[in-house]
Amino acid sequence: MLLLRLTARDLLALHARRRLVSHLAARWVHFGRGESSDGERRAWASSLVSLAEDLVAAERGNVEMIVECSPTVEETETPDADGQIDVVLVGRHPAEGVLSVQLVELKQWSAVTRVEAATADLVYVDGIKDPVKHPALQLSQYHVLFTGPEGPLHGLRFECGGFAYLHNATDESVRPLLGVDAPTGPYAHTYTSDTRDRLLKDLQSHFSAEDDYSAAEYILHRMNLRNTPLLDAMVNSCGEDTVFTLRGRQKKVADDVLEASELILDSPDREAIVPRPQHAVFLVSGGPGTGKSAIGLQLRADLEAAGRTVKYASGSRAFNAAIKESVGYTEAEFRERFAYFSSFVTPPNPPLDVLICDEAHRLRDRTTNYRLPAEKQGTKPQVDELLDASRLTVFFLDAGQTVRPQEVGTAELIEDAARRRDAVVRHYRLTEQYRCGGSDAYLRWVRALLGVSAQEPHEWVPDGLMHIEVVDTPDDMEHVVRTEFDAGATARMVAGYCWPWSKPDESKNLENDVRIGGWHRPWNASSESFCANGEPPSRIWPVHDAGIGQIGCVYTAQGLEWDWCGVIMGDDMVWRTDRWVFQRGKQRKDPKAGVMRVAKPGSLDPKVRVSTLDDDEFARCVRHAYHVLLTRASRATVLYSTDEETRRHLRKLVGEVDVHGLRPTQASIPPELRIARNSGAARSRRARRAQSKAKLKNEMMLF
């Protein structure tokens, strides 16, 4: 759990805009705490702001405040369990230069009385019926959670202390908390309004006034809010060893699948005299960034290591191609492990032990492909082909990412097909957020903005986890994205399908199809090989450095992520007064250029703009496409609309980028936490094994 992460000066700016308490209240609801009480809201508006004001007064407004924080984002059985602290202050030590952390309990108490003469461990507080612990005892528990073997500070060089701040109290009114018999330790300091000057001096001794980069990134990384991107994890693991560290609900799903494989499947060590007849189906649904692909890829590695016959299937050509390119599989290696939904018209004999189906929302009614001969065309529902292919089938899907009318994958469809086979069906729902900086607030904002959820569109509240800004021109968007790309971040530009898409000419030159005023850029190349100026084919556009100059669409971006993503909203979805209007476009051939150009602004997606698709379904496809595009970034989204009224609407909701330090530039990430960008060069199995052996040798030399 984490409600907010901002510097003290940014938190005060947010409070001045009257957006602080409403944002914290919304996050409180998200984490299952229900509606926040009047007391909680008063604490946020009073105690939290008082602490931020004191940091600014001490000339330490650069110190970051992580508000209402648990040491990790793991699910807990008891959400009110100990371990959630009011504020974690994070910065740099002024003398040592190491990470400096202060754990803070904010109390609105004005007076306390002692419970027992011999100890101050328990006290009575005005307005609270039962006795409460001395704040230092709470801070002692938090200190163990944060610095212990499982804590986010374990293994780092740091200074860590803590204090309680009772800004409404005087020393005399809370004397039992300050006596010689009160708890002691580096986390046992107590400040009141009488000792504010001492607090300011102590803050100066704990934290440097410089903010060269964000020290809080260490904490977020250790709290699992900054996960390694999916493709980077695959590369670092050489595609063969343990790929991901699964957490919370993710781990529960994976453990249950592995347990079922032992109960349902025959032993891989010997041939069964009578094969077990059971068939099991696991259905895992969740929004963008909830870890569906991470679970699937880790399961594939674990099951393969256990001797099971297993394949990982996807409905996304771009996703499969990105894995193949990034990890460096040969064609034979890739086919051994990965497949497409269309690969199972003829079921394997014998059936696979396990088939993992990622992006199952992209299931088609039938397997059809004009490139394939008649005998390879499907004659029954595609979901039945997948179920026939294995004994244990795992489906991952997100209903909010169906972007074409022929995509029929739903939980109901899969459950019905499984029941026809008398298969055991288990359904899981993932809610923990690992993409978009772990910002569920950003995902809720996007869904409300687009009308994907029932929530009304609302102003974006910066939370320090995810950043969004609206720009006035496509040049501005490209400048921001390229600046971060040149600094070492992963970044791409994507757009709604609102322009014609030309194939490379005979000389392999690309046409600049995406034309906005004087700004012209090509789509990612509709080609199976590199083009004249080194542009990669569309299948590896997401992971090859040369793809930065091309524009991607939903079909080449789905399932992937980058640090930064520039998103162009076209005229297929425009804001008019108080509602979204969805428009089908038209194209015509330019006689001079010999290529297609926009004749009427709107959607030019050949599968979506067709007149046979009714208006509601057309609107759903367009909304979902932008839902995908707006959730591809892990740190920041730069949004531009080709329509002026829509830009005004977006800017009103997002606000100006007027809060210092919120744009998460590559320079703001501690150097040792930066992930080197994958150049897109494939590696052979021999090279991967050599790398793996070298890594093992280096690890052995450490002992």
Side-chain angles (χ1 to χ4, degrees), residues 29-57:
V29 171
H30 170 77
F31 284 108
R33 302 302 181 101
E35 292 296 328
S36 51
S37 66
D38 291 342
E40 287 290 347
R41 290 171 177 260
R42 282 195 302 270
W44 295 330
S46 176
S47 302
L48 198 57
V49 170
S50 293
L51 178 60
E53 289 173 340
D54 290 341
L55 283 161
V56 171

Side-chain angles (χ1 to χ4, degrees), residues 77-94:
E77 294 298 324
T78 55
D80 292 320
D82 287 341
Q84 180 183 310
I85 189 168
D86 290 341
V87 183
V88 179
L89 300 180
V90 189
R92 284 279 162 186
H93 194 276

Side-chain angles (χ1 to χ4, degrees), residues 235 238 325-330 678 681-685 687-688 691:
V235 171
C238 304
E325 175 73 8
S326 297
V327 179
Y329 289 121
T330 65
N678 176 34
R683 300 192 308 278
S684 67
R685 173 179 281 186
R688 296 201 309 275
Q691 178 188 7

Side-chain angles (χ1 to χ4, degrees), residues 206-225:
H206 291 310
F207 298 107
S208 167
E210 299 176 1
D211 54 349
D212 295 334
Y213 54 79
S214 173
E217 283 292 327
Y218 288 102
I219 307 296
L220 299 181
H221 183 76
R222 294 302 189 92
M223 290 169 60
N224 308 326
L225 285 167

Side-chain angles (χ1 to χ4, degrees), residues 65-86:
M65 304 174 65
I66 302 178
V67 179
E68 296 283 4
C69 166
S70 298
T72 72
V73 294
E74 298 281 1
E75 282 187 343
T76 60
E77 294 298 324
T78 55
D80 292 320
D82 287 341
Q84 180 183 310
I85 189 168
D86 290 341

Side-chain angles (χ1 to χ4, degrees), residues 177-357:
L177 301 179
L178 308 174
V180 293
D181 52 356
T184 59
Y187 39 77
H189 302 289
T190 301
Y191 301 95
T192 69
S193 60
D194 289 340
T195 50
R196 180 174 182 267
D197 289 342
R198 180 160 59 87
L199 170 61
L200 300 190
K201 290 180 181 179
D202 287 347
L203 290 172
Q204 291 172 340
S205 70
H206 291 310
F207 298 107
S208 167
E210 299 176 1
D211 54 349
D212 295 334
Y213 54 79
S214 173
E217 283 292 327
Y218 288 102
I219 307 296
L220 299 181
H221 183 76
R222 294 302 189 92
M223 290 169 60
N224 308 326
L225 285 167
R226 296 292 193 209
N227 270 16
T228 302
L230 182 123
L231 291 178
D232 290 313
M234 287 288 289
V235 171
N236 294 338
S237 72
C238 304
E240 296 172 355
D241 305 320
T242 296
V243 180
F244 297 95
T245 301
L246 303 180
R247 307 176 178 98
R249 191 71 169 170
Q250 291 179 324
K251 190 173 187 305
K252 167 68 174 171
V253 172
D255 287 347
D256 283 1
V257 172
L258 292 173
E259 182 181 1
S261 71
E262 294 296 322
L263 296 173
I264 292 175
L265 302 176
D266 302 306
S267 172
D269 300 328
R270 59 184 182 275
E271 184 176 352
I273 299 175
V274 179
R276 298 176 184 175
Q278 295 100 324
H279 192 155
V281 173
F282 284 78
L283 178 59
V284 186
S285 56
T290 49
K292 299 183 295 297
S293 297
I295 299 170
L297 289 166
Q298 184 60 49
L299 276 173
R300 189 206 62 76
D302 290 343
L303 289 163
E304 186 178 83
R308 302 295 183 186
T309 58
V310 55
K311 280 199 173 183
Y312 190 96
S314 172
S316 170
R317 185 168 179 258
F319 180 80
N320 276 6
I323 289 178
K324 180 182 176 184
E325 175 73 8
S326 297
V327 179
Y329 289 121
T330 65
E331 186 66 32
E333 290 170 347
F334 181 79
R335 289 182 180 277
E336 182 182 340
R337 293 170 169 84
F338 296 89
Y340 296 96
F341 293 162
S342 58
S343 304
F344 300 97
V345 171
T346 301
N349 187 18
L352 297 167
D353 288 332
V354 183
L355 178 61
I356 299 167
C357 301

